[in-house]
Amino acid sequence: MKKEAFNEVWIQKLRPALVALGELRLKEREAIIYGSTLAAIGIAIPILFPLKFLIGILIALVFGGLGVSVYLHLHPKRFKELYKTRVINTLLKETHYDWSHVPDAENADDIFKSSGLYNLKNSTSVVDDMFKASKEGVNLYAVETRVDMREGKKTRVVFGGLAFRFDLGKEFRGQTYIISEKEKRFYRAVGTHEVRGMGSDLGSTELEWNDFERLLHVETTDEREVREILTPDFMLDLYEWWSEHGKFVRLSFKESHMYMVLPIRHTLFEPTVFGSIDKEKEILWSYLDAFLLAEKLLERIEYIYRYTVEG
């Protein structure tokens, strides 16, 4: 969706939904301020005054406990829940499929991990919310996730955004993994543990569209199948989106599933507490745009593979 079109959605639907949560947002802000202030006092007193070590620790613990208690007492318990039901559901209505929010979904982490797109050593993934839709018997899933990788004593985020899985109901002959050329150094372990020992292995393949090939790195166990998947229309959709947004989508095709992971440089579907609610405009547009891209690519692969390619 172009930003010009989203601006109308923002003005007419999303911003009013956020404004309606203004009172709860203010209470959440006050709870954070009062709670953190008490905790900060507990840390400051032992630093500013010459107290015995154990007394200083005791004071810090007491004020820290008071800070947590005050926050929990003032915290509006339905603020995040209402944000997700009102704002997020309003956003999802702008997609083409009937996406719904699935809070606390079981096995949501499996959707991301089974993509094989971030099999990094010393990494952990954290999954938040899940979303589900269906189209003509095809189940569609999306999960918010973050991947952290430990490097020595430091930990850094290597991915944060949405992971999609589409259950096509028809097996691919092989496995195909697509990432950007710039990300190849994080890619070498992707998928290899699943196909080795089965008589086949991943191999790089060259495409026939030079612009696309300079942007992407493709590895597959079936070169004929990857050419069936990456039709000119599919590549053009992906290339144009990439060129406009500058975000590096990763894709995989395996078993009967199509996977897509898309980075979003914002907090994952969480309400903004401080500052103007207009800060959320860019965040919500990024998420809606991700869902629309996933739907477009699904339509391409579904037409080419699910309906027209002989198994």
Side-chain angles (χ1 to χ4, degrees):
M1 175 180 285
K2 298 294 184 182
K3 283 191 175 182
E4 295 78 10
F6 178 75
N7 190 54
E8 185 175 342
V9 175
W10 168 256
I11 293 173
Q12 295 183 1
K13 300 177 181 180
L14 291 171
R15 198 176 192 282
L18 286 165
V19 170
L21 296 173
E23 184 177 349
L24 293 177
R25 184 169 175 266
L26 180 59
K27 289 182 179 179
E28 174 71 9
R29 184 189 303 175
E30 291 175 346
I32 293 173
I33 291 173
Y34 293 144
S36 59
T37 298
L38 283 171
I41 290 173
I43 296 173
I45 289 177
I47 296 174
L48 297 176
F49 300 96
L51 301 173
K52 292 184 178 180
F53 178 75
L54 291 179
I55 295 177
I57 292 294
L58 180 62
I59 290 174
L61 290 175
V62 169
F63 274 88
L66 285 173
V68 172
S69 299
V70 167
Y71 171 77
L72 293 176
H73 177 70
L74 297 177
H75 165 66
K77 295 178 176 59
R78 298 193 65 209
F79 177 51
K80 184 181 290 189
E81 174 190 343
L82 288 173
Y83 179 88
K84 292 183 183 294
T85 55
R86 293 182 185 179
V87 180
I88 301 308
N89 287 342
T90 299
L91 183 78
L92 294 176
K93 288 179 181 178
E94 299 302 315
T95 62
H96 299 128
Y97 305 152
D98 187 22
W99 288 93
S100 59
H101 177 232
V102 185
D104 304 321
E106 295 182 1
N107 302 321
D109 194 37
D110 292 341
I111 293 174
F112 176 77
K113 288 182 177 178
S114 60
S115 72
L117 288 167
Y118 276 88
N119 293 335
L120 298 170
K121 294 181 179 180
N122 302 319
S123 68
T124 56
S125 59
V126 179
V127 172
D128 192 358
D129 293 293
M130 177 177 171
F131 306 88
K132 184 178 180 180
S134 62
K135 176 182 180 290
E136 299 177 2
V138 178
N139 291 324
L140 304 88
Y141 302 92
V143 292
E144 303 170 82
T145 191
R146 189 188 76 241
V147 179
D148 298 325
M149 186 168 69
R150 191 173 68 254
E151 297 177 333
K153 295 182 178 180
K154 297 182 179 180
T155 300
R156 67 184 182 89
V157 178
V158 295
F159 174 81
L162 288 169
F164 293 87
R165 189 184 81 192
F166 306 134
D167 299 343
L168 299 175
K170 183 175 181 179
E171 293 280 335
F172 289 102
R173 296 191 301 270
Q175 295 186 24
T176 299
Y177 299 86
I178 304 171
I179 67 163
S180 72
E181 281 286 345
K182 291 184 178 180
E183 291 187 300
K184 278 197 299 186
R185 60 196 178 100
F186 293 131
Y187 178 71
R188 304 317 306 169
V190 170
T192 54
H193 71 288
E194 299 178 20
V195 295
R196 282 181 176 163
M198 298 173 60
S200 63
D201 201 354
L202 293 170
S204 299
T205 187
E206 294 183 359
L207 305 172
E208 297 178 358
W209 186 13
N210 291 335
D211 288 340
F212 194 72
E213 189 172 342
R214 282 193 292 268
L215 185 66
L216 290 181
H217 175 74
V218 180
E219 291 194 9
T220 184
T221 60
D222 191 318
E223 289 199 16
R224 184 168 70 89
E225 184 170 59
V226 79
R227 285 173 170 77
E228 294 169 356
I229 293 170
L230 298 179
T231 63
D233 286 339
F234 187 100
M235 290 193 293
L236 181 61
D237 287 339
L238 190 55
Y239 181 80
E240 289 181 341
W241 194 93
W242 243 323
S243 299
E244 180 180 350
H245 294 74
K247 296 177 182 177
F248 298 114
V249 184
R250 296 187 181 198
L251 298 164
S252 64
F253 305 86
K254 49 191 290 192
E255 299 173 347
S256 59
H257 309 305
M258 169 184 168
Y259 297 90
M260 183 181 86
V261 294
L262 190 153
I264 297 178
R265 305 184 189 100
H266 302 290
T267 303
L268 301 179
F269 274 146
E270 301 296 337
T272 298
V273 178
F274 295 94
S276 169
I277 60 175
D278 290 323
K279 292 167 58 178
E280 298 202 31
K281 180 179 179 180
E282 183 75 17
I283 299 172
L284 293 172
W285 174 74
S286 296
Y287 274 92
L288 176 58
D289 207 40
F291 275 92
L292 294 177
L293 173 66
E295 292 176 346
K296 180 184 286 188
L297 294 181
L298 171 64
E299 290 174 359
R300 297 294 191 194
I301 193 65
E302 188 178 44
Y303 175 75
I304 293 298
Y305 186 80
R306 186 168 183 247
Y307 296 139
T308 63
V309 175
E310 295 295 333

